[in-house]
Amino acid sequence: MREYVYSDNFAILFNFTLVSMLENTFCHIPGIGAATEKRLWDAGITSWDKWHELLSLRLPNSSRIEITKLLAESGKALNNDPSFFTSRLPSHEQWRIFPQYRETTAYIDIETTGLGEDADLTTIALYDGREVKYYVNGDNLEQFVDDICNYTVLVSYNGKSFDVPFLERYFRITLNQAQIDLRYVLARLGFKGGLKGCEKMLGIDRGDLDGVDGYFAVLLWKEYENYNDHKALETLLAYNIEDTVNLEQLMIEAYNINIAQTPFAKELKLPRPLLPRLPFQADPVCVERVKRRYGV
């Protein structure tokens, strides 16, 4: 069983933040929303270790004893249990866990032959900020099942609705990792129109892959299967991997936009990630050939 890994030394040269937004977070506590959390921050309760039950601030629908208990549980979960927080945070607030678990985060994206339950899985791309891994149907798909166990957080776009259920059904597994679905995080910030639409709104340029979408990815696989066209497979992998690598950029953009609205913007803002060298590039000649053959 072959495993395809593409790594670049300079892609490893980023620093993970040593400060966690999670320790400034209170909205994972039942009864505390964003408005109440802001009132806590304004009152000087800016992190868990500054919480005290004698606080004079009125907290509707929140038991101070229960808050103290849940904050103690939060401290225990901080190092190794991201699901403790994602199970308690709204989908659009799950960006908060990112820096704490960045070293064990995987960005994932899949390509399939369609959207129905009878569709087949064609390729998977996985990126963890250091190396790109890719998996191809008929070659090394099963290796994904072993590799994904090395991560505690999955970042996707619409992965909660599509990618993760598809993978679980296809491999007959359960992916228990915490999930950050950027569809919800970005929509809350006003970025919509699918993954490509969000990328364009945030200034991400796809170069030769501009205009290639999920439907075209299906045609590229068809071209590869029917004509043994390896340029079509390479273009499909370039597209799939680009989706995955761009998720890191989108994750950090969304995180920084959210952080800018908090009192912690200066110390918690993250630098833009270094982009890895990609193992494949789109073949424009192949793209044009597929467009002509299928009338796209």
Side-chain angles (χ1 to χ4, degrees), residues 10 13 62 92 96 119-120 136 150 152-153 160 171 181 184 188 208 234 245 248 284:
F10 86 87
L13 299 178
S62 300
H92 64 271
R96 295 165 178 256
D120 202 2
V136 180
N150 296 319
T152 63
V153 177
K160 286 183 179 180
F171 290 116
D181 191 330
Y184 303 102
R188 183 74 169 198
D208 289 336
E234 289 177 11
V245 169
E248 183 185 41

Side-chain angles (χ1 to χ4, degrees), residues 274-291:
L274 295 172
L275 300 179
R277 290 199 188 103
L278 303 180
F280 301 103
Q281 300 296 324
D283 186 318
V285 174
C286 174
V287 170
E288 290 304 316
R289 182 169 61 250
V290 172
K291 284 181 179 180

Side-chain angles (χ1 to χ4, degrees), residues 77-279:
L78 187 63
N79 288 332
N80 56 16
D81 190 4
S83 293
F84 176 89
F85 301 99
T86 53
S87 66
R88 291 167 169 80
L89 287 167
S91 294
H92 64 271
E93 295 285 5
Q94 291 172 351
W95 58 271
R96 295 165 178 256
I97 78 165
F98 173 63
Q100 180 68 28
Y101 305 105
R102 188 174 177 182
E103 292 188 67
T104 56
T105 290
Y107 310 92
I108 62 168
D109 184 73
I110 68 173
E111 301 302 331
T112 68
T113 58
L115 300 178
E117 291 193 3
D118 60 340
D120 202 2
L121 183 61
T122 58
T123 64
I124 309 170
L126 183 157
Y127 179 58
D128 61 9
R130 298 172 293 276
E131 60 187 18
V132 172
K133 298 181 181 182
Y134 54 95
Y135 312 86
V136 180
N137 195 329
D139 196 340
N140 69 330
L141 272 187
E142 291 295 332
Q143 185 63 45
F144 172 82
V145 177
D146 293 329
D147 289 346
I148 201 63
C149 294
N150 296 319
Y151 303 96
T152 63
V153 177
L154 307 181
V155 174
S156 66
Y157 189 94
N158 200 37
K160 286 183 179 180
S161 298
F162 184 68
D163 300 67
V164 169
F166 197 107
L167 289 167
E168 290 181 327
R169 184 171 64 249
Y170 185 88
F171 290 116
R172 298 182 181 179
I173 60 174
T174 300
L175 294 173
N176 291 316
Q177 291 89 344
Q179 292 187 56
I180 304 174
D181 191 330
L182 289 176
R183 174 187 172 187
Y184 303 102
V185 177
L186 290 167
R188 183 74 169 198
L189 297 172
F191 300 104
K192 299 181 181 180
L195 177 60
K196 313 305 180 297
C198 292
E199 288 177 358
K200 287 185 176 181
M201 292 177 74
L202 288 165
I204 296 176
D205 182 12
R206 285 194 163 235
D208 289 336
L209 286 166
D210 189 36
V212 176
D213 57 15
Y215 174 68
F216 200 85
V218 174
L219 299 181
L220 286 168
W221 180 258
K222 191 173 182 180
E223 185 78 359
Y224 167 63
E225 275 204 314
N226 291 347
Y227 301 99
N228 196 31
D229 186 341
H230 285 267
K231 288 296 181 182
L233 177 60
E234 289 177 11
T235 301
L236 173 59
L237 286 167
Y239 170 77
N240 191 188
I241 291 168
E242 182 92 12
D243 277 0
T244 309
V245 169
N246 286 353
L247 287 173
E248 183 185 41
Q249 295 186 71
L250 292 173
M251 179 73 253
I252 291 175
E253 288 284 351
Y255 177 86
N256 283 339
I257 293 170
N258 277 300
I259 280 292
Q261 302 170 27
T262 75
F264 320 109
K266 186 174 181 180
E267 63 263 36
L268 295 186
K269 183 178 179 180
L270 295 173
R272 289 191 173 190
L274 295 172
L275 300 179
R277 290 199 188 103
L278 303 180

